Amino acid sequence: MSLLRPDLAVIAANVAPGSRVLDVGCGDGTLMQALRDEKQCDARGMELDPANVGKCVAKGLSVIQGDADRDLAFYPDKSVDYAILSQTLQTTMRPDMVLEELLRIGRRAFVSFPNFAHWRVRLSLLWGGRMPVTRLLPVAWYETPNIHHLTVDDFRALVKERGITVEGCWFLSGDTQCSSAAANFRAEHAVFQLSRG
């Protein structure tokens, strides 16, 4: 697989070849391009930022400009094999509704997000008393797109409450996978594969 951000590499490794994929919040299309070129997937995307839409189109990718909070309603039920939301859930107005839409549109969904309960984040708040700026959360609180600061345990509680099946989960510390033991404390990022079992 081409060089991908670690959470995207986990997702790409677990998407079946030849699948139909919708990447919501697809950024510059890096994941879609890898899935198209290396796994022969029919990859489509939705992206809010017009500059990123342009980058995707320049790569020959099928992307529309849209907002996950409003525009997922226009997609038919079970129209893709996988609906993917990578590093975007925490930026949506209603993450719970977006998650429901992903599972309506896709037979399965992948969701990745930064874990705001990682020990470095906790330590920064405890000792510094300020919202952290880290390698993986590189901007100050007033310029971040993150409006919901969720944790691994918050997400686990949400999917349990909604009756969503967790088919797989991966936890990342830096650029490497770590075990699920104490993931809420140890993992900087999480990736979940979900379905409506």
Side-chain angles (χ1 to χ4, degrees):
M1 204 44 64
S2 57
L3 187 58
L4 294 172
R5 195 176 69 209
D7 63 311
L8 297 182
V10 167
I11 294 168
N14 289 282
V15 168
S19 297
R20 292 170 297 134
V21 175
L22 174 64
D23 188 356
V24 180
C26 62
D28 67 3
T30 301
L31 175 61
M32 291 174 53
Q33 185 175 19
L35 291 173
R36 179 194 66 188
D37 296 348
E38 299 173 30
K39 289 208 161 180
Q40 294 69 53
C41 291
D42 178 4
R44 313 290 170 113
M46 176 190 288
E47 172 58 37
L48 186 60
D49 181 354
N52 277 333
V53 172
K55 290 175 185 176
C56 290
V57 171
K59 295 176 183 178
L61 299 169
S62 178
V63 175
I64 62 164
Q65 185 175 7
D67 183 334
D69 283 307
R70 293 189 310 263
D71 299 326
L72 290 175
F74 297 111
Y75 285 86
D77 294 358
K78 303 302 179 211
S79 56
V80 297
D81 299 305
Y82 300 96
I84 299 170
L85 190 74
S86 60
Q87 304 297 325
T88 305
L89 187 67
Q90 72 281 358
T91 69
T92 63
M93 293 298 294
R94 286 294 307 269
D96 57 334
M97 302 299 286
V98 170
L99 184 59
E100 293 290 347
E101 285 291 282
L102 293 176
L103 290 166
R104 181 188 61 76
I105 296 165
R107 298 186 194 307
R108 290 184 168 84
F110 281 101
V111 177
S112 72
F113 56 88
N115 176 27
F116 288 91
H118 181 258
W119 69 267
R120 283 192 189 102
V121 174
R122 294 177 190 211
L123 192 62
S124 179
L125 282 168
L126 177 67
W127 293 112
R130 299 179 62 188
M131 290 304 295
V133 175
T134 67
R135 179 178 70 90
L136 298 171
L137 299 169
V139 294
W141 67 269
Y142 52 84
E143 56 186 346
T144 182
N146 299 320
I147 59 174
H148 296 286
H149 300 111
L150 74 153
T151 70
V152 169
D153 285 354
D154 288 330
F155 191 77
R156 284 176 168 156
L158 174 64
V159 297
K160 182 178 180 184
E161 173 188 306
R162 297 294 173 109
I164 296 168
T165 301
V166 176
E167 293 186 352
C169 51
W170 300 264
F171 303 103
L172 302 164
S173 181
D175 295 340
T176 59
Q177 286 192 37
C178 61
S179 76
S180 62
N184 199 52
F185 185 74
R186 297 176 55 230
E188 291 178 278
H189 284 95
V191 180
F192 283 79
Q193 182 179 345
L194 309 168
S195 67
R196 275 276 182 218

